[in-house]
Amino acid sequence: LMYFCFLCVYYLCRLKYRMNDKFFNQKIEKRVHLFILALNVLSVGAGLGLGTFHVCLTRSFCHYAATPLYCRIFPEKVGKCDLAIKDRVDVLILINVFILNIIGFCMIAGIMVILYRHANFLRGMNSSITTSASLATGTTTLVRRAKIINKDKNCDMNNKSSEVHGQNLTIDEFKDDINGEEERSNSQEIQQTCRDNN
């Protein structure tokens, strides 16, 4: 459970905080191994020092257990449990089995929630970037189409006005009063397009 918990820490550092493997190895991984080793040595040392390691009910391994074997289940057959050892066993089981496991599961759940929220944040950013790019592309396309339509209209207007007045009017004269200085550069483009078309 401890290594699974710290594997989640690795992915948190790697994905959210963009930590590379070398930095993680130098700063975090060695400390994680030392922490897990120290915690297990303290746990086993406390169990041995307090005399709480005994054969478990399954008789397949030793763990924190009251003595004599089965004293909690059949006290009338095997005798009453040693009260001092029984109390120590209860405390060590509470600390090592329940509290540390609850802390580990809470850390795993918390990290998973953080990574989920980070993934949603990145997904939202990605979709907004994609939307912005498609809008920009669409806007550029619309602006280009509008310029082409305006060029065609201006060419038609130039031809009609020259027919009416009997002389060639420039588009500059036609647009000065309407659009001002910004349209002058566009009108030169339009004149060139009209000349090319004629």
Side-chain angles (χ1 to χ4, degrees):
L1 179 69
M2 289 186 218
Y3 275 106
F4 185 69
C5 180
F6 284 109
L7 184 64
C8 291
V9 170
Y10 167 76
Y11 281 110
L12 178 69
C13 294
R14 185 82 172 140
L15 298 175
K16 182 169 184 178
Y17 300 112
R18 304 285 185 210
M19 195 178 290
N20 62 18
D21 288 336
K22 184 177 179 182
F23 185 80
F24 183 83
N25 185 4
Q26 291 173 347
K27 298 292 182 184
I28 296 174
E29 186 176 4
K30 292 176 183 175
R31 293 179 183 165
V32 166
H33 292 302
L34 288 174
F35 173 77
I36 292 173
L37 179 69
L39 188 66
N40 285 310
V41 166
L42 284 172
S43 171
V44 171
L48 289 173
L50 295 172
T52 57
F53 266 117
H54 301 287
V55 178
C56 287
L57 297 177
T58 59
R59 295 184 182 191
S60 58
F61 63 95
C62 291
H63 198 262
Y64 306 119
T67 187
L69 188 61
Y70 300 120
C71 69
R72 291 184 191 226
I73 302 170
F74 306 113
E76 64 279 349
K77 290 184 180 177
V78 293
K80 291 186 178 183
C81 297
D82 184 348
L83 292 179
I85 292 177
K86 181 178 174 256
D87 291 340
R88 293 177 198 153
V89 166
D90 292 341
V91 170
L92 289 173
I93 287 176
L94 179 70
I95 291 171
N96 286 305
V97 176
F98 293 108
I99 294 177
L100 292 178
N101 285 337
I102 289 171
I103 291 171
F105 282 121
C106 288
M107 281 183 66
I108 291 168
I111 291 170
M112 290 173 80
V113 167
I114 291 169
L115 288 176
Y116 177 76
R117 291 179 70 192
H118 183 65
N120 278 342
F121 172 74
L122 291 177
R123 190 178 300 125
M125 280 184 51
N126 189 22
S127 66
S128 66
I129 289 170
T130 305
T131 304
S132 299
S134 65
L135 286 175
T137 305
T139 304
T140 305
T141 305
L142 288 175
V143 167
R144 286 181 186 156
R145 287 181 182 168
K147 283 184 179 179
I148 291 170
I149 291 170
N150 282 337
K151 285 179 185 178
D152 291 341
K153 283 183 181 177
N154 287 332
C155 285
D156 290 343
M157 291 171 74
N158 189 13
N159 290 336
K160 287 180 183 176
S161 62
S162 61
E163 289 172 6
V164 170
H165 296 290
Q167 59 181 349
N168 287 331
L169 296 176
T170 64
I171 293 184
D172 286 318
E173 294 170 349
F174 209 74
K175 287 195 169 191
D176 277 341
D177 294 332
I178 298 170
N179 295 328
E181 196 65 37
E182 182 180 332
E183 293 295 328
R184 285 188 187 187
S185 60
N186 289 341
S187 65
Q188 291 171 355
E189 235 181 325
I190 294 169
Q191 280 181 352
Q192 185 63 36
T193 306
C194 291
R195 285 186 199 130
D196 293 343
N197 290 339
N198 293 332

